Amino acid sequence: MQRIVVLAGGIGGARFLRGLKSAAPDADITVIGNTGDDIHLFGLKVCPDLDTVMYTLGGGIHEEQGWGRTGETFAVKEELAAYGVGPGWFGLGDRDFATHIVRTQMLAAGYPLSAVTEALCERWQPGVRLIPMSDDRVETHVMTDDPAAPGGRKAIHFQEYWVRLRAEVPAHAIVPVGADEAKPAPGVLEALAEADVILFPPSNPVVSVGTILAVPGVRDAVAASAAPVVGLSPIVGDAPVRGMADKVLAAVGVESTAAAVARHYGSGLIDGWLVDTVDAGSVPDVEAAGIRCRAVPLMMTDVEATARMAAEALSLAAEVRA
Amino acid sequence: MQRIVVLAGGIGGARFLRGLKSAAPDADITVIGNTGDDIHLFGLKVCPDLDTVMYTLGGGIHEEQGWGRTGETFAVKEELAAYGVGPGWFGLGDRDFATHIVRTQMLAAGYPLSAVTEALCERWQPGVRLIPMSDDRVETHVMTDDPAAPGGRKAIHFQEYWVRLRAEVPAHAIVPVGADEAKPAPGVLEALAEADVILFPPSNPVVSVGTILAVPGVRDAVAASAAPVVGLSPIVGDAPVRGMADKVLAAVGVESTAAAVARHYGSGLIDGWLVDTVDAGSVPDVEAAGIRCRAVPLMMTDVEATARMAAEALSLAAEVRA
């Protein structure tokens, strides 16, 4: 059985995984999930990326929105607002709340996040093994302008930057706070070492895949793996397919093009790279950087289109391996 | 302005208070609320009696039910059940959840329950000053039979006995765990000392009023008060008007009659006692125990009927005082 390891963020990663499961129904898939955008709200531990993967693969996702639960209601949030308790900008639904309540209770009882995630997945049966990148707290902060702060800048939580400010203010740096001291969760390094293929889905290269790679040991394990490492560009035609990856790429000094993201990962890390057909012109550029590259349709319009993308990624991996 | 202090449990106390506000719209009413039936559920601190008073007087109560919120939904609870997380027997609604989330967050931030209750009441504007009997944890336990337990008996949380088991198993003792070491919350003893009238509404004499009186200093403050102390019988025609007070009265060796409850409180504590007209025959019995007694209609069928009961209680207090 082919062992596939995927480093996944939220919506993009989750949708890609659904296509991958369809393209490789017999594969043994391990997902290393980003927890850098986790946030504590109302005393509860919220893991947006892990939940998006779990809900998407488990059939509970709000399809159009891409995050949160289908059939969701917002009574708790409305009531919290009536008490003057916020933040109101984070869309926590009633069904979603239950997940965070269970998680918070289990964490308080002493279980590590990886064990909690496994327990939550017992209900959702995502059909993959979902492991948080780390059981330790890592929190992505964004350095923004604040005339009132000393030095004129202030670090804010990624969710505040992303959801509340919609990435519309300048981001001067992206800092995965706590990453230096974090250890990979149990199973992360083992999965990478034993992988037949490692995939980077079209997730955000900075705040999703980049944060996972920032956990000490993970980048080395990916680089050292005998398995081919293939990524899919989240940038199509010089703009992110979804989200605001261009904003955070700028913060780390990377151009918002499919080729620039490939070079950002580098040939030391990835062996293959898929760009969209509209970016076919950048293939030689990527190959010049020592990365095998192919241009294929990269729009995840439905599960079938996404499955074809995943199949192309596996096919490129096989080609690289051979 | 007349200063009235009421020792209140949940539904009975809350409904009585609504009548009292109507009967004495200009009075300064302080409510000392029972917290012995508080329970920790899903990592949240739930205070059923305080909330019932707050919701009832603040216009948020589910009228027919007597507890919980009007227009309530149960998405969180259903989801928790889908995760296999219980208890399912406690009816926590989505709107109600928000109250417990705010309370738990404030407690975790270091505020005492009395300050938290005051903050919650800023939203609900109950028109009374609501103080928990204590900021310390007191938890009413009920000793029940359990053949599997050492000694054949097991103490369970009052809510488990009351809500899950519907008081249908024998109760051998009622123990307000932690009461011995509890201190009255700030304002409790002061309110009792400065009261013009002290009322015991037709709340449960054992697990509501009795628990409040079990907080060291409270019983003495009531007994020592210069104000008349008047109670209303929760037993009408030898049966509780609502709830299952007879079961817990039996556990403390008190007969389930209006007169027996008056004697249980005793003339050292109460000066006046109202029984229902159907119990008019017990008036001499109560008066023989040194307690002024009157028979009036005691069914809280609506706010008007309840206001008449409250007016009778205030009138009896004035008579006792004179």
Side-chain angles (χ1 to χ4, degrees):
Chain A
M1 197 192 295
Q2 191 175 32
R3 288 162 300 186
I4 306 175
V5 177
V6 182
L7 274 54
I11 303 177
R15 289 190 172 162
F16 175 77
L17 283 163
R18 196 157 52 178
L20 177 64
K21 277 176 64 184
S22 172
D26 299 325
D28 171 4
I29 303 173
T30 296
V31 179
I32 301 172
N34 172 40
T35 56
D37 62 349
D38 290 3
I39 186 166
H40 285 78
L41 290 171
F42 314 113
L44 302 174
K45 167 87 162 173
V46 181
C47 301
D49 282 3
L50 295 180
D51 288 349
T52 296
V53 169
M54 192 171 74
Y55 294 160
T56 301
L57 300 185
I61 200 77
H62 185 300
E63 277 298 334
E64 296 70 42
Q65 194 171 254
W67 54 269
R69 296 287 310 279
T70 185
E72 189 57 290
T73 51
F74 292 88
V76 177
K77 189 184 168 179
E78 284 164 23
E79 284 297 310
L80 289 169
Y83 280 115
V85 172
W89 49 262
F90 200 88
L92 276 189
D94 298 330
R95 295 185 183 283
D96 205 22
F97 253 111
T99 301
H100 312 316
I101 288 172
V102 175
R103 175 185 292 122
T104 305
Q105 270 203 285
M106 286 192 70
L107 289 170
Y111 293 95
L113 183 61
S114 50
V116 174
T117 305
E118 195 180 335
L120 294 172
C121 284
E122 273 174 33
R123 169 183 175 196
W124 289 102
Q125 297 289 324
V128 301
R129 179 170 173 225
L130 176 61
I131 319 179
M133 64 190 200
S134 178
D135 281 334
D136 302 318
R137 182 166 173 173
V138 178
E139 206 169 84
T140 305
H141 286 195
V142 180
M143 191 61 75
T144 58
D145 291 317
D146 182 355
R153 293 196 172 168
K154 188 177 68 167
I156 59 175
H157 192 287
F158 172 71
Q159 296 291 356
E160 188 175 354
Y161 168 76
W162 200 251
V163 179
R164 183 169 83 84
L165 301 172
R166 306 202 57 74
E168 280 164 2
V169 301
H172 302 292
I174 312 289
V175 187
V177 178
D180 285 355
E181 290 80 37
K183 290 176 297 299
V188 166
L189 298 184
E190 295 78 356
L192 289 168
E194 294 165 5
D196 297 313
V197 181
I198 298 171
L199 299 179
F200 293 2
S203 287
N204 190 304
V206 181
V207 296
S208 295
V209 180
T211 306
I212 301 171
L213 293 170
V215 176
V218 173
R219 176 180 287 272
D220 289 347
V222 173
S225 170
V229 181
V230 170
L232 297 92
S233 177
I235 306 288
V236 168
D238 301 352
V241 175
R242 198 198 151 86
M244 302 150 283
D246 47 333
K247 306 294 175 61
V248 290
L249 282 167
V252 296
V254 174
E255 223 188 325
S256 188
T257 67
V261 173
R263 283 193 304 267
H264 171 65
Y265 284 135
S267 62
L269 198 65
I270 59 171
D271 306 299
W273 187 244
L274 292 181
V275 300
D276 188 78
T277 45
V278 304
D279 297 311
S282 67
V283 170
D285 199 12
V286 175
E287 299 225 314
I291 299 163
R292 192 78 62 95
C293 187
R294 238 187 241 169
V296 299
L298 286 191
M299 302 303 282
M300 298 192 283
T301 44
D302 54 32
V303 177
E304 291 66 35
T306 311
R308 284 192 293 273
M309 286 166 55
E312 292 284 2
L314 293 174
S315 158
L316 182 57
E319 189 185 318
V320 166
R321 189 188 291 111
Chain B
M1 196 192 297
Q2 192 174 33
R3 287 162 300 187
I4 306 175
V5 177
V6 181
L7 274 55
I11 303 177
R15 289 190 172 161
F16 175 76
L17 283 163
R18 197 157 52 179
L20 178 63
K21 277 175 64 183
S22 172
D26 298 325
D28 171 3
I29 303 172
T30 295
V31 179
I32 301 172
N34 171 40
T35 57
D37 63 347
D38 291 3
I39 186 166
H40 285 79
L41 290 170
F42 314 113
L44 301 174
K45 167 87 161 173
V46 181
C47 300
D49 282 3
L50 295 181
D51 289 349
T52 295
V53 169
M54 191 170 75
Y55 295 160
T56 301
L57 300 185
I61 201 77
H62 185 300
E63 278 298 334
E64 296 71 42
Q65 195 170 253
W67 53 269
R69 295 287 310 278
T70 184
E72 189 56 290
T73 52
F74 291 87
V76 177
K77 189 184 169 180
E78 284 164 22
E79 284 296 312
L80 288 169
Y83 279 115
V85 172
W89 49 263
F90 200 88
L92 275 189
D94 299 330
R95 295 185 184 282
D96 203 22
F97 253 112
T99 301
H100 313 316
I101 289 171
V102 175
R103 174 185 293 121
T104 305
Q105 270 203 284
M106 286 191 70
L107 290 170
Y111 293 95
L113 183 61
S114 50
V116 173
T117 304
E118 194 179 336
L120 294 172
C121 284
E122 274 174 32
R123 170 184 174 195
W124 289 102
Q125 297 289 323
V128 301
R129 180 170 174 225
L130 176 61
I131 319 178
M133 65 191 200
S134 177
D135 282 333
D136 301 318
R137 182 168 174 173
V138 178
E139 207 169 84
T140 305
H141 286 196
V142 179
M143 192 60 76
T144 58
D145 291 318
D146 182 354
R153 293 194 173 169
K154 188 177 67 167
I156 60 174
H157 192 286
F158 171 71
Q159 295 292 356
E160 187 175 354
Y161 168 76
W162 200 250
V163 180
R164 183 169 83 84
L165 301 173
R166 306 203 57 74
E168 281 164 1
V169 301
H172 303 291
I174 312 289
V175 188
V177 178
D180 286 354
E181 290 80 36
K183 290 177 297 298
V188 166
L189 298 184
E190 294 78 355
L192 289 168
E194 295 164 6
D196 296 312
V197 181
I198 298 173
L199 299 178
F200 292 3
S203 288
N204 190 303
V206 182
V207 296
S208 295
V209 180
T211 306
I212 302 171
L213 292 171
V215 176
V218 174
R219 176 181 288 271
D220 289 347
V222 173
S225 170
V229 181
V230 170
L232 298 93
S233 177
I235 306 288
V236 169
D238 301 351
V241 175
R242 196 197 153 86
M244 302 151 283
D246 47 333
K247 307 295 175 60
V248 290
L249 281 167
V252 297
V254 174
E255 223 188 324
S256 189
T257 66
V261 174
R263 284 193 304 266
H264 170 65
Y265 284 134
S267 62
L269 198 65
I270 59 171
D271 305 299
W273 188 244
L274 292 180
V275 300
D276 188 78
T277 44
V278 304
D279 296 311
S282 67
V283 170
D285 199 12
V286 175
E287 299 223 314
I291 300 164
R292 191 79 61 95
C293 186
R294 237 187 243 170
V296 300
L298 286 190
M299 302 305 282
M300 299 193 283
T301 44
D302 54 29
V303 177
E304 290 66 36
T306 311
R308 282 191 294 273
M309 285 166 56
E312 292 284 2
L314 293 175
S315 157
L316 182 57
E319 188 185 318
V320 167
R321 190 188 289 110

